[in-house]
Amino acid sequence: MKLCATLTVLGLLVMGSRAQGVMPSVSFPPCDSPEAEAAALVAQDFLNAQHTHGYKYALNQIEEIKIVSMPLQADTYHLELDFLETTCHVLDPTPVSLCPVRQKFNTAVEADCDFVLANTTQGLSVVAFKCKTETESDECLGCPQLVRLNDADGLQLIASSLDYFNKNNTLNTKFALLEIGRMTSQIASGGPRYFAEYAIIGTNCTSQDDDICIPQNHNVAIHGLCLAEGSAKLNDVDCKIFGPTQAADPASNATVQVQKLLHAHTFGPQHNPSIHSLKHHKLTAIHDPSASSLLSAESSESAESVKVVPKVATVVKREVPATEGPAVDAAASEKTHVLSKPVLLAPICPGKNKHF
Ligand SMILES: *[C@@H]1O[C@H](CO)[C@@H](O)[C@H](O)[C@H]1NC(C)=O
Ligand SMILES: *[C@@H]1O[C@H](CO)[C@@H](O)[C@H](O)[C@H]1NC(C)=O
Ligand SMILES: *[C@@H]1O[C@H](CO)[C@@H](O)[C@H](O)[C@H]1NC(C)=O
Ligand SMILES: *[C@@H]1O[C@H](CO)[C@@H](O)[C@H](O)[C@H]1NC(C)=O
């Protein structure tokens, strides 16, 4: 306890002395360096573990990284990362590295995130982050377009396909709707065609029970992600079942054909009408508001400019021990420093696009 207090005081002294000339040293590893990659993957895992609805996100690009070192403090990693939404639901145990990202013709969802991580003795941990999600789609007349998550025809497709799946699945279980992932519609010759993705949760009812069906507790429930497709006449539904969370069993597939429209009555515990005004699931905007000062005001703007302005002249600097005085650079002067010393011609940031 006393040691802890001493360290805190020392920390404060260091912080205080910053104004008097003891400046942090800042290093800029290449965006595709193993060091940057390791930090970005910690951020990716954190992002996927912290949200309980929607889809997993996969790292697409490391846009910027800087490591700030202060004497007697854990190094902090400041990253600007670009993620893409995958087709794996967050409840799907498939490792995110095996999850396909959604392509632009399917309206990709992209997340621009700023992360601050600390490299403590326990390893890298996330201190703060903020994300901004937006959709990106190809200009395509015949492509399915996202519709609002409360679209009446889309909801009807979900209700009928879930009802069908409930009566016909091989697990002899009635599922409740957990959440709607996305809905699209496409102009087709026989009238609009709808596509819906929704997550389901097992209830205490079997397929035959015509009773009040209560969703099981999340820890023991079987979950699934269903893809339903149809017009008024013909529907298909395909549900991938995950098994209880952390179950050893690999996910099994249960596919049935939907031939008639029926009605579902069940909505799961996380069925949240407020998401219905949106067309896609958003990420938590800010993780820890009290730590948001760590996320510099520049980041949201520079996230845009990084994409446009080619960074030709980024300087790689070795980390310099603070005791070497003059060689230590202030974070504040980093911009000027970068501009005044164009020693590298090949851009080292942003890193390469892993997907598109
Ligand atoms: C964290 O710091 C340790 C030394 O304190 C270093 O060996 C390690 O490479 C750092 N981690 C990362 C991801 O840079
Ligand atoms: C179950 O599926 C079969 C076709 O596979 C269909 O004939 C039957 O009507 C379905 N049962 C229900 C209750 O919808
Ligand atoms: C499911 O649980 C509810 C609430 O406990 C109960 O009313 C209902 O009868 C149960 N259904 C079945 C099929 O056991
Ligand atoms: C589920 O379907 C996928 C492809 O659709 C297949 O690769 C996989 O083996 C199936 N899993 C099971 C358990 O049937």
Side-chain angles (χ1 to χ4, degrees), residues 91-278:
L91 298 171
D92 186 337
T94 306
V96 68
S97 59
L98 299 177
C99 293
V101 303
R102 234 178 259 284
Q103 299 299 310
K104 277 189 200 169
F105 69 85
N106 277 329
T107 312
V109 178
E110 189 191 340
D112 278 317
C113 301
D114 296 336
F115 269 87
V116 179
L117 294 91
N119 187 9
T120 65
T121 45
Q122 279 89 49
L124 285 169
S125 61
V126 173
V127 176
F129 79 90
K130 69 176 178 199
C131 290
K132 192 175 66 180
T133 42
E134 54 197 35
T135 56
E136 220 186 301
S137 59
D138 283 338
E139 292 297 317
C140 163
L141 273 182
C143 289
Q145 301 291 318
L146 282 186
V147 299
R148 296 169 89 86
L149 295 176
N150 63 355
D151 182 276
D153 290 324
L155 289 177
Q156 196 186 10
L157 170 63
I158 289 173
S160 60
S161 60
L162 177 56
D163 202 49
Y164 189 90
F165 181 76
N166 275 339
K167 290 184 170 127
N168 261 311
N169 70 67
T170 54
L171 301 156
N172 192 25
T173 302
K174 212 168 235 181
F175 290 87
L177 179 61
L178 181 62
E179 72 177 14
I180 300 169
R182 57 160 53 202
M183 296 200 290
T184 56
S185 80
Q186 185 179 28
I187 310 294
S189 53
R193 196 157 180 78
Y194 281 85
F195 303 86
E197 292 186 23
Y198 56 95
I200 54 174
I201 182 168
T203 67
N204 63 342
C205 292
T206 66
S207 296
Q208 287 78 41
D209 286 331
D210 206 6
D211 201 347
I212 301 162
C213 303
I214 305 295
Q216 308 258 328
N217 186 294
H218 269 289
N219 305 324
V220 296
I222 341 175
H223 295 90
L225 183 69
C226 298
L227 310 183
E229 172 178 349
S231 57
K233 285 234 169 71
L234 177 75
N235 296 293
D236 280 310
V237 62
D238 182 355
C239 297
K240 183 181 179 193
I241 303 298
F242 308 139
T245 332
Q246 274 104 48
D249 284 338
S252 65
N253 299 333
T255 307
V256 294
Q257 297 285 310
V258 169
Q259 284 152 349
K260 53 184 173 183
L261 289 171
L262 298 163
H263 289 280
H265 310 279
T266 48
F267 287 85
Q270 287 194 353
H271 181 247
N272 176 4
S274 71
I275 63 167
H276 282 182
S277 58
L278 307 167

Side-chain angles (χ1 to χ4, degrees), residues 47 50-51 55 57 111 113 129 131 133 281-286:
L47 193 64
Q50 66 91 37
H51 64 132
Y55 300 90
Y57 280 81
C113 301
F129 79 90
C131 290
T133 42
H281 289 266
K282 295 189 172 189
L283 289 167
T284 318
I286 286 190

Side-chain angles (χ1 to χ4, degrees), residues 11-35:
L12 288 173
L13 284 174
V14 170
M15 293 288 273
S17 59
R18 180 177 172 169
Q20 299 153 27
V22 180
M23 295 300 189
S25 78
V26 181
S27 67
F28 300 90
C31 276
D32 284 331
S33 62
E35 197 174 20

